[in-house]
Amino acid sequence: MNTFHDNLLDSDLDEILSGRGAPDLTARALQKLAAGTQPPAAEPARADARPAVATPRWRAWARAAAVLLVLGMAGWLLTRPDTLPRGVTAAEGARWRVRADHVELKSGWVLLSDGAPVLVVGDGRVENVNGRTVAGTGIPGGDALDPLADHLDLSALEREAMKNPNRWITAGMLALCVLSGQAVLNGRVIAAEEDTPPPRAQDPKPEDTKSLRALLGQVEGIELRVAEKGLYSGWLTVRDAARVRAIAAAFATHLGEPSATPAGIDHTNQFELRLKDGRVIRASVFTRPGRAGLCDIRLPSWERYHQFDCAPDLAAELKAELAAARNQPRLPVQDAKAMRALLARAVEATFVDSTDQGAPLRGTIRDAAVLARMAGLLWPEDMGFSKTHLAERDVYQLALKLNDGSGLGFVVGDSGIFTLTMTGETSVEGRILPGTSMQALREMFTRAADTRGFAVLRQWTGENSRVTRAQTRLVYDDEGWTALWNEHAGTAAPAVNFEREIVLAVFGGDKLNSRGYTVREILQGEYRYTLRLEEEHFQTAGPDGGGVRCAPFAMFALPRTEAAIHMELNVQGIKRAAPLWQPLEAKWKPRSDINPMVSYTIDGTRFGSGGFPKTKRRFLVARDAAQWQELNNDINTGQDKLPAVDWDQYIAVAATEAAPANTDQFELVLAGMNQARVVLRLTTPGAQTESDSESPGYERIWRIWLIPKPDRDIVIETPRYDGTTAPTGWLETHTIRR
C-alpha cells in the first residue's frame, strides 16, 4: 500500500468514525469546465518542500479493526438472545429468559399482543394471544398500577381495566388481565370483558312509584338475611324460580306511595332483588301493629334508602323466607379477625389433598395448635378476591367441625380460589388464598396424612440441567444436597429439611425436546413405594425435525421412610397407548425389620393347562355365581363342581397364557396400590414371542385367582421381555372397574 492509498484510507476512516462528510466540489468543477479553464500543470518540486510522511501501516489497520468492533457490538446488541420477541413488551424491572419455544418470566410484568409467543410463569402458561394482555408474577399492588401502565404505554381505557381487580385472573404464580381480545391460559380461553359496558336503564325517581312497581316485575333472583340483636344471619338464596316471581310480585302489588314516617328505623331484614340487567334493588320490610307496613327501598343510583307505605300482607307473604333466613348461619366475612376466631373454634379438620394426580393425601387433624395455625392460613390478611373463578382442578377439600357441632367446608382450586360453605349453603365465593397459604397447607397436610399419604412434598423440574449424563441420585443430607445442586445449577440450593425428608433426583442426559419429569402416581406396596414418572415432551418443526437439545431433570423432596423407594418411567412411545413402565434403579433401601404397609390377599390355588384352543393371552372376570359357572365353561377346567365363593367379599380373575407345559411360573402379584387403583402384575414363565404359542412343547395354561372385591379400579400389567429372560417393562393390559 503506497502513501496515496494510506492517506485515502485515513480520510475514509475519519469520515466513518467522526461522521464528517467529504467536501462537495461538483459545482466548482462544473463552473471551471464551462469557463474553459484547464487544470494547472503540475509544479516542480520545491527545494524547501518537506517530504510527505507516510501514515504508519499499523495505524490504518487499527482504525479498520475499531470500525469492525463497533459494527460487531451493534449487531450483537440488536440480535442478542435475550431480546424479547415481537409481541412482548416488558415493564421496567421485569426479569425474563427467552427459551427456544417460549418466554419464561421470572418476575415483573409484560404486555402481550398479537403474535406473542408462549409466556410461562411457574406452572402458568399463556398462549394464542389475540389482542392485548398484561401478565406477570402476581397481581400488582395499588401503588404499582400507575407506573406499570406508564411503562407499558396503556390507553386510558386499558388503565381502568387493569385497575379493576375483577379483571385479573390468577393461576398459581401467574396473574393475567386481558385488556382486549382473548388469550389462552392453561388451556382455557379467557376473553376480555366489554371495554364500554352497555348503558343501563335509568332508575326511576322515588316519587315515580308506577315505574318502580314495573321494575320490581323484572326481578329474577332474590337473596335475604335477617338481623337479631344487631347480628345478621347468613344470606339465604331463594332457589325456586316460581317463588322468586311470587315474592317480586308481592313487592310490586303491595308497594304504596312514599311515606311521611321519619327515617331511622333499624332494618331487621334485608332483601337483594337482582334484575335481569344486573342491577340490584335493596329492600327491607317492617310491620307496625294496627297500621300500614313500611318498606325501605334503595336503587343503585339513589343516595339513600327511601321509605314507602305498604300493605301488611307483604310481610305475611314473606314469612316463610324470613323464618328460613333466621336459621342461616352467620359468618363475619368482612371481619378478618372475627373469621379467624371462628375458624379457630375448629376441633377437627378432615382433608383430602389432590395436588398429586395419582394419590391424594387424606387425613384428620385434631391437634389444637395445628388447627389454630390453620385458621390463620385459611383467612390471611393478604387474601385476594376475584369474581372470575378459574382453577384447573380442585386440590384441597377441607371439612371443619366446630366446637358447637356446626361445620364449615372449604373447596380450594389450584389457583387458590376457594368456596366456603356452611350447612350446605354457599357463604363465600371468589376469595383467593395467597401462594404462601397454599404451600403451608400443603406441608401441613403432608405431615398429618395417614400412612397412604406418602407424596411429593416439593419438586424442581426443567429442561436445562448442567448434568448431561443420564442417572438417578439419592440425597439424604445437606452436604450432598449442596453438592448436587451446585453440579446441577451452580447456584445456592433450595432449603430442604433432611431430618424429615430425602431428595430423589432424575437426570435424563443429553437428548431432544424434553421439558423434564413429573410424578404421574405413587404406588404403595407391602415394603416399598413406587414413583411412576412421565417425561414431558414437546414437538418442533424444521430441518431434521428442528429438535431442541436439552438436559431434562427432576428432583423430588419426599418424606423419610423406612420402606424402599423404587422408580419407574413410562417409555410408551405411541400416543394414547397404554403406559409401558420401565423400572429405574432403586435408590432407597428398606430396613430389614419393617412391617408390611398394606395387606392384599390373592388366592391363586386353581391352576391347569390345555382344554381349549391356543388363542392369545386373555383375562376373564366373575363377580357372581352365574359368571363363575360361565368362566368355568369357557376355560373348560374339567371341574364339575366349583368351590363356593363369598361374592360379597371376592371376585374371580382368570388368565390364560402360552407357556411350557406344567409350568408353575404363572402368578398374579401386587405391584402397589393407592386411593385410585390397585396394580397387579402377571408374572409369566420367561421370554416369549408371538410364535411361542405354536412352538413344540408350548400349550395353553390357565390360572384362577380370588381377589378382594374392589373398592377401586384394578389394573393388571403384563411383562415385556425384549429377548431377555427378565422383564424390561410392564404394560397396562387389562382394567377391572370397581
Side-chain angles (χ1 to χ4, degrees):
M1 184 181 291
N2 56 30
T3 302
F4 171 76
H5 290 117
D6 285 343
N7 292 337
L8 184 61
L9 180 58
D10 282 344
S11 177
D12 290 342
L13 289 173
D14 187 59
E15 291 176 15
I16 293 174
L17 295 174
S18 66
R20 295 191 297 268
D24 189 354
L25 303 177
T26 305
R28 292 173 58 187
L30 292 175
Q31 182 180 6
K32 289 188 176 185
L33 183 63
T37 305
Q38 297 297 323
E43 296 182 2
R46 292 169 49 185
D48 59 346
R50 297 176 61 185
V53 179
T55 303
R57 192 179 302 270
W58 65 267
R59 183 180 176 187
W61 287 111
R63 290 185 176 180
V67 172
L68 294 175
L69 179 61
V70 171
L71 293 176
M73 290 181 66
W76 178 82
L77 288 172
L78 291 174
T79 60
R80 63 191 179 103
D82 274 355
T83 299
L84 282 171
R86 184 176 65 88
V88 184
T89 303
E92 183 178 359
R95 294 175 54 246
W96 71 88
R97 177 64 60 86
V98 178
R99 303 293 189 182
D101 62 340
H102 67 276
V103 175
E104 182 180 359
L105 185 63
K106 303 289 188 180
S107 63
W109 296 273
V110 295
L111 175 66
L112 306 176
S113 55
D114 293 346
V118 174
L119 179 75
V120 174
V121 180
D123 295 330
R125 182 181 178 92
V126 184
E127 54 193 327
N128 298 336
V129 175
N130 178 14
R132 286 161 66 86
T133 294
V134 175
T137 53
I139 300 176
D143 295 339
L145 287 171
D146 284 325
L148 178 60
D150 292 337
H151 297 154
L152 299 179
D153 195 23
L154 302 185
S155 67
L157 283 176
E158 290 174 333
R159 285 171 180 265
E160 291 304 314
M162 193 177 68
K163 291 180 179 181
N164 183 353
N166 295 333
R167 295 286 289 268
W168 285 90
I169 298 172
T170 59
M173 293 173 55
L174 174 62
L176 183 79
C177 179
V178 181
L179 304 175
S180 61
Q182 64 183 33
V184 176
L185 172 60
N186 289 349
R188 294 190 178 187
V189 177
I190 309 299
E193 298 178 9
E194 293 292 333
D195 292 327
T196 53
R200 288 185 172 182
Q202 292 293 323
D203 292 336
K205 300 297 182 183
E207 57 272 15
D208 187 0
T209 52
K210 181 178 179 181
S211 297
L212 180 56
R213 294 188 190 98
L215 198 62
L216 289 167
Q218 302 176 23
V219 170
E220 66 171 12
I222 297 176
E223 291 185 338
L224 69 147
R225 62 179 182 173
V226 298
E228 290 182 343
K229 299 180 180 179
L231 294 177
Y232 274 106
S233 69
W235 286 96
L236 171 69
T237 302
V238 181
R239 303 187 182 279
D240 182 76
R243 189 57 190 154
V244 169
R245 292 191 296 270
I247 293 174
F251 271 99
T253 301
H254 299 300
L255 185 69
E257 297 300 319
S259 174
T261 302
I265 300 178
D266 292 334
H267 292 172
T268 58
N269 55 69
Q270 287 186 350
F271 287 80
E272 289 195 351
L273 314 174
R274 190 179 68 255
L275 304 179
K276 295 178 180 179
D277 62 5
R279 285 180 293 172
V280 174
I281 300 175
R282 291 177 170 82
S284 294
V285 178
F286 309 91
T287 58
R288 297 184 297 177
R291 303 171 60 187
L294 288 176
C295 183
D296 275 6
I297 292 181
R298 183 176 180 180
L299 270 58
S301 63
W302 295 0
E303 294 182 356
R304 61 178 179 85
Y305 280 93
H306 289 264
Q307 289 189 343
F308 296 82
D309 291 325
C310 66
D313 293 342
L314 177 57
E317 293 194 29
L318 302 176
K319 184 177 180 180
E321 281 71 27
L322 292 172
R326 191 167 287 108
N327 295 323
Q328 282 296 106
R330 297 170 173 81
L331 288 178
V333 295
Q334 303 302 327
D335 187 338
K337 184 177 180 180
M339 276 301 297
R340 285 193 291 273
L342 174 65
L343 295 172
R345 289 167 45 199
V347 294
E348 181 180 283
T350 303
F351 63 86
V352 178
D353 176 357
S354 303
T355 304
D356 294 325
Q357 297 279 3
L361 300 178
R362 301 173 184 271
T364 301
I365 299 173
R366 297 184 179 89
D367 187 295
V370 177
L371 291 170
R373 181 167 177 262
M374 182 186 294
L377 296 175
L378 291 173
W379 213 270
E381 292 287 353
D382 55 345
M383 184 184 295
F385 179 79
S386 173
K387 288 185 178 178
T388 306
H389 292 255
L390 182 67
E392 286 292 310
R393 60 190 181 91
D394 295 333
V395 292
Y396 301 152
Q397 298 179 48
L398 182 64
L400 300 179
K401 181 180 178 182
L402 304 186
N403 56 7
D404 62 357
S406 61
L408 294 172
F410 283 82
V411 177
V412 187
D414 54 0
S415 62
I417 289 181
F418 70 87
T419 299
L420 170 60
T421 60
M422 194 168 189
T423 64
E425 292 287 337
T426 298
S427 299
V428 177
E429 291 182 301
R431 282 173 168 78
I432 307 172
L433 292 179
T436 51
S437 285
M438 294 289 285
Q439 180 62 30
L441 286 170
R442 168 68 169 167
E443 294 174 357
M444 181 181 294
F445 295 156
T446 300
R447 288 193 295 269
D450 60 26
T451 55
R452 294 188 181 179
F454 183 85
V456 175
L457 307 180
R458 289 176 304 286
Q459 66 181 24
W460 304 267
T461 184
E463 59 196 63
N464 290 313
S465 174
R466 301 199 310 187
V467 179
T468 57
R469 183 175 63 84
Q471 57 188 286
T472 58
R473 301 265 197 96
L474 170 70
V475 183
Y476 50 85
D477 58 29
D478 290 313
E479 183 179 357
W481 178 232
T482 301
L484 175 65
W485 193 270
N486 182 63
E487 181 183 355
H488 154 69
T491 59
V496 175
N497 181 3
F498 284 100
E499 292 184 0
R500 297 184 177 182
E501 302 169 7
I502 59 174
V503 173
L504 206 57
V506 182
F507 298 98
D510 184 19
K511 55 171 52 181
L512 297 175
N513 297 11
S514 174
R515 291 195 176 96
Y517 305 89
T518 58
V519 175
R520 173 164 173 168
E521 68 175 351
I522 298 177
L523 299 178
Q524 185 178 31
E526 284 189 299
Y527 299 100
R528 73 181 187 183
Y529 293 106
T530 301
L531 274 69
R532 291 186 147 183
L533 308 181
E534 291 271 13
E535 187 171 4
E536 295 189 2
H537 299 280
F538 60 89
Q539 293 183 335
T540 54
D544 299 325
V548 178
R549 301 218 71 84
C550 49
F553 69 93
M555 286 173 265
F556 307 103
L558 304 167
R560 276 188 177 259
T561 174
E562 297 177 349
I565 299 177
H566 290 203
M567 288 186 294
E568 295 176 351
L569 177 65
N570 181 13
V571 295
Q572 178 62 266
I574 303 174
K575 286 187 175 180
R576 291 183 291 275
L580 177 59
W581 298 106
Q582 183 181 79
L584 300 177
E585 182 181 359
K587 300 298 297 185
W588 183 261
K589 305 298 183 181
R591 283 176 47 176
S592 58
D593 58 347
I594 183 175
N595 294 320
M597 297 186 295
V598 297
S599 176
Y600 194 84
T601 303
I602 302 175
D603 180 2
T605 57
R606 297 178 60 77
F607 175 77
S609 63
F612 54 93
K614 295 181 181 180
T615 57
K616 293 181 179 180
R617 175 190 296 142
R618 60 176 180 162
F619 296 93
L620 302 96
V621 179
R623 299 175 183 267
D624 55 38
Q627 294 177 353
W628 186 223
Q629 185 63 54
E630 183 179 348
L631 183 152
N632 179 70
N633 295 337
D634 195 359
I635 293 181
N636 192 11
T637 64
Q639 303 288 328
D640 293 332
K641 185 176 181 181
L642 296 173
V645 176
D646 183 355
W647 299 110
D648 291 331
Q649 300 293 327
Y650 298 97
I651 64 172
V653 177
T656 66
E657 178 70 79
N662 300 320
T663 181
D664 59 357
Q665 301 175 13
F666 195 39
E667 296 289 345
L668 196 63
V669 298
L670 175 69
M673 59 198 302
N674 54 39
Q675 296 296 320
R677 59 186 193 160
V678 175
V679 178
L680 306 179
R681 283 180 171 169
L682 182 70
T683 62
T684 56
Q688 301 173 36
T689 65
E690 286 295 321
S691 62
D692 283 340
S693 60
E694 303 300 329
S695 300
Y698 274 71
E699 64 176 348
R700 274 296 178 187
I701 61 174
W702 54 265
R703 192 158 202 155
I704 302 174
W705 296 271
L706 297 180
I707 62 176
K709 188 174 183 179
D711 59 354
R712 67 202 83 179
D713 291 348
I714 297 176
V715 176
I716 300 177
E717 299 177 345
T718 54
R720 289 293 179 268
Y721 289 101
D722 296 333
T724 64
T725 57
T728 58
W730 295 88
L731 180 69
E732 293 188 7
T733 305
H734 186 77
T735 300
I736 303 171
R737 300 299 179 188
R738 69 183 69 187

